[in-house]
Amino acid sequence: MNLNHVGAVAHRIVRQMLRDRRTLVFIVAVPMVVMELVGLAFPGDSRILDRMAPALMATFALFFVFLLTGISFLRERSQGTLERVMASPVSRLDLVVGYLGGFILFAAVQSLIILLFTVFVLGIRYQGALWQIFVFQLVVTVVALNLGLFVSAFARNEFQVVQFIPLVLVPQVLLSGVLLPTDQMPAYLKALSKVLPLTFAVDGLNGIMLQGKTLVDVGWDLLILAGFACVTIVLGAISIRRSAAT
């Protein structure tokens, strides 16, 4: 891996994103609007929102970052930028790590907005250190970034990226403990939930925010998410080769 190539790709992504005002509005405004709607949906008993907040934060971080990365990378392909970059000496690993480095800045901002809005505007009660919650969210963000890169290789337009949401994200919401604890699911669904990254994201954030655990205490969830991140980095590199070929 050539760090100069990685830095050049990341720098180009950052400059391109900063010029796209609509995307910047999406990154900043949409999470706040959605979280405000979540707060309005639980006006009576704040204890329900306190219990639901970690799972919702993990879900929205995964959803928004997946959508941001998938659509942005699709534009790279449709505008011919990816093909031109692939013609240079940059390797596929340099590309995927460079894209990760460029997008992660904006994805981290989005995750931070979700966290701060949930804690300080919605006023949820939580345990654990705020910085540890954010670090855990960042790991979830990396998984979502690379998942978005991979899935976008199979889409031909932005509408098709959105169509992947019911296939990739909705099953995770239904089976990862966001709506129903996995312990209450049938055995085959519980087994299926163990291969979904959102399951470990929800479990880890619940541990930190509801039980006061540290990053060390949720180390197993972090390790599994890191494994998902490594796998999706490889899949992202494969998808870049496929995208350039198509």
Side-chain angles (χ1 to χ4, degrees):
M1 185 172 63
N2 189 310
L3 294 181
N4 291 329
H5 292 166
V6 170
V9 173
H11 184 254
R12 184 183 60 78
I13 293 296
V14 170
R15 287 192 305 169
Q16 181 175 301
M17 294 287 288
L18 290 175
R19 291 197 299 263
D20 189 345
R21 295 183 180 180
R22 286 183 299 177
T23 299
L24 292 177
V25 171
F26 172 86
I27 291 172
V28 175
V30 173
M32 291 191 291
V33 172
V34 171
M35 294 311 297
E36 178 62 24
L37 291 175
V38 169
L40 294 174
F42 299 95
D45 191 351
S46 61
R47 291 175 298 179
I48 298 178
L49 182 58
D50 292 342
R51 290 198 305 270
M52 291 288 295
L56 292 176
M57 286 170 54
T59 301
F60 289 136
L62 184 69
F63 174 80
F64 288 130
V65 173
F66 172 85
L67 200 58
L68 169 68
T69 312
I71 292 178
S72 298
F73 184 67
L74 182 64
R75 290 177 183 173
E76 290 276 294
R77 289 170 47 204
S78 61
Q79 294 172 0
T81 305
L82 178 62
E83 185 177 353
R84 292 193 296 270
V85 174
M86 287 294 292
S88 69
V90 178
S91 70
R92 292 195 302 273
L93 181 60
D94 293 341
L95 273 176
V96 73
V97 176
Y99 280 122
L100 174 62
F103 284 125
I104 198 170
L105 172 63
F106 302 94
V109 168
Q110 200 166 55
S111 295
L112 184 61
I113 289 173
I114 294 173
L115 172 59
L116 296 180
F117 193 92
T118 303
V119 170
F120 295 109
V121 178
L122 299 185
I124 66 160
R125 293 181 291 271
Y126 68 97
Q127 303 182 48
L130 202 60
W131 71 269
Q132 295 195 41
I133 299 173
F134 180 62
V135 169
F136 195 95
Q137 282 275 84
L138 280 181
V139 178
V140 178
T141 295
V142 172
V143 176
L145 278 170
N146 288 286
L147 188 60
L149 285 175
F150 171 67
V151 169
S152 68
F154 302 93
R156 293 293 178 267
N157 51 58
E158 294 180 4
F159 178 68
Q160 289 183 2
V161 173
V162 175
Q163 287 181 312
F164 275 104
I165 292 175
L167 178 64
V168 177
L169 299 184
V170 171
Q172 298 198 57
V173 174
L174 296 177
L175 300 177
S176 64
V178 176
L179 304 177
L180 179 70
T182 56
D183 292 339
Q184 299 179 21
M185 295 179 181
Y188 67 95
L189 290 181
K190 184 176 180 180
L192 183 59
S193 73
K194 296 301 182 182
V195 299
L196 302 175
L198 189 57
T199 299
F200 300 94
V202 170
D203 185 65
L205 281 178
N206 278 337
I208 296 174
M209 297 182 68
L210 300 182
Q211 302 171 31
K213 294 182 178 180
T214 66
L215 290 175
V216 175
D217 297 326
V218 297
W220 175 249
D221 297 301
L222 274 176
L223 183 62
I224 296 297
L225 287 172
F228 276 114
C230 292
V231 170
T232 49
I233 285 176
V234 175
L235 293 177
I238 295 172
S239 73
I240 285 179
R241 179 176 60 181
R242 181 186 185 281
S243 299
T246 57

